[in-house]
Amino acid sequence: MAESFESFPVILGWELTLACNLRCRHCASAAGEPRPNELTVDEALNLCDQLPSLLVMELVFTGGEPLISPHWEKIAKRLQDLGIRTGMVTNGTSLSDGTIERLLDAGVTALAISLDGEPDTHDFMRGVSGLHQRVVAGIERVLKAGLRVTVITTVNRRSIRELHSMQHRLQSIGVKRWQLQPVFGFGRMQESQNLLLSDADYIELGRFIKSSMAACEEGQLQAGAGAGRAAR
């Protein structure tokens, strides 16, 4: 029997660009260069103006690296004017004080920032030496500015052994939300199958998340699985 119902995209993810300043080993999108047919700024703003009638309340910018898009600021400000809450998923490479100020001025209220292990593992997965330190410093600046922060860790064969030390590190800098998601063999990860989780690793990840959630107290770091939302 056919069912008739209406639904609305109350929460949206918007891939602003496929362009990225990194070439991460585990990127499912194999991001790097922009698509040839990405939206112009006028097309993007026109799309923004259609969202209130669809009852969109929250939108998260993704990529690629959304901060590379030359239009992110204009789009975010248009959404702010329309009363739509915005967040952003970022690799954390560009979180200077100036960029954070621009994010705040454009109405972005929350960031999800990638951190994929302890220093050696993160830098290995992202392909840039010293990047872990740079990203952690950016997280600290964002927290100080008052934006809501979720750290996203794509767990791989190396980082599965580093979760406890990562937990202590994130707690020490004041992170309250931590999203853990397993790496999948898509995109560039097809070239690094040895970093995929084994069955035993999946069990270990599940146990870690379960124990972390059970031990979590009010106001402490909350670890969870799956696709979280930056803007909540």
Side-chain angles (χ1 to χ4, degrees):
M1 183 176 65
E3 294 182 355
S4 176
F5 64 95
E6 291 185 354
S7 61
F8 297 91
V10 176
I11 302 164
L12 287 182
W14 185 341
E15 183 186 285
L16 283 182
T17 181
L18 192 62
C20 189
N21 56 335
L22 298 179
R23 301 294 185 272
C24 303
R25 295 175 186 270
H26 59 293
C27 183
S29 300
E33 298 301 320
R35 291 188 174 92
N37 59 345
E38 291 182 353
L39 297 182
T40 66
V41 63
D42 289 336
E43 290 171 335
L45 295 177
N46 179 268
L47 179 58
C48 290
D49 292 339
Q50 300 175 51
L51 299 182
S53 64
L54 296 174
L55 304 186
V56 174
M57 299 176 63
E58 179 180 324
L59 188 145
V60 180
F61 297 118
T62 68
E65 171 52 44
L67 287 172
I68 287 181
S69 168
H71 311 316
W72 75 262
E73 210 162 354
K74 288 184 178 180
I75 297 169
K77 287 181 178 179
R78 177 63 64 87
L79 293 169
Q80 181 184 35
D81 292 341
L82 294 168
I84 297 174
R85 187 167 62 246
T86 58
M88 184 179 289
V89 180
T90 175
N91 60 30
T93 59
S94 303
L95 297 176
S96 64
D97 288 332
T99 298
I100 294 170
E101 184 175 353
R102 289 168 62 199
L103 286 163
L104 289 168
D105 288 344
V108 177
T109 60
L111 295 180
I113 304 171
S114 300
L115 197 67
D116 293 315
E118 287 290 75
D120 288 347
T121 295
H122 180 81
D123 293 357
F124 172 76
M125 295 301 294
R126 299 277 164 171
V128 178
S129 179
L131 186 61
H132 182 278
Q133 182 179 2
R134 182 172 154 194
V135 172
V136 170
I139 292 172
E140 291 177 314
R141 284 191 291 269
V142 171
L143 288 168
K144 184 178 179 180
L147 282 110
R148 185 180 175 94
V149 172
T150 299
V151 168
I152 299 179
T153 298
T154 302
V155 183
N156 59 70
R157 183 67 67 85
R158 289 177 56 143
S159 61
I160 188 70
R161 313 291 178 232
E162 301 172 351
L163 297 181
H164 289 284
S165 58
M166 285 192 71
Q167 185 177 40
H168 293 308
R169 181 187 297 274
L170 296 177
Q171 285 176 334
S172 71
I173 64 174
V175 173
K176 303 299 183 186
R177 287 161 293 276
W178 186 21
Q179 177 186 318
L180 296 156
Q181 56 194 35
V183 68
F184 294 109
F186 306 130
R188 289 199 191 93
M189 197 63 191
Q190 295 180 70
E191 302 171 7
S192 301
Q193 297 287 301
N194 61 310
L195 293 171
L196 294 174
L197 298 178
S198 66
D199 291 346
D201 291 334
Y202 272 101
I203 293 172
E204 183 176 345
L205 175 59
R207 286 174 174 166
F208 175 82
I209 293 172
K210 182 178 180 180
S211 65
S212 297
M213 291 176 68
C216 181
E217 298 179 5
E218 186 76 21
Q220 291 188 341
L221 176 66
Q222 299 176 14
R229 300 205 303 277
R232 280 189 63 81

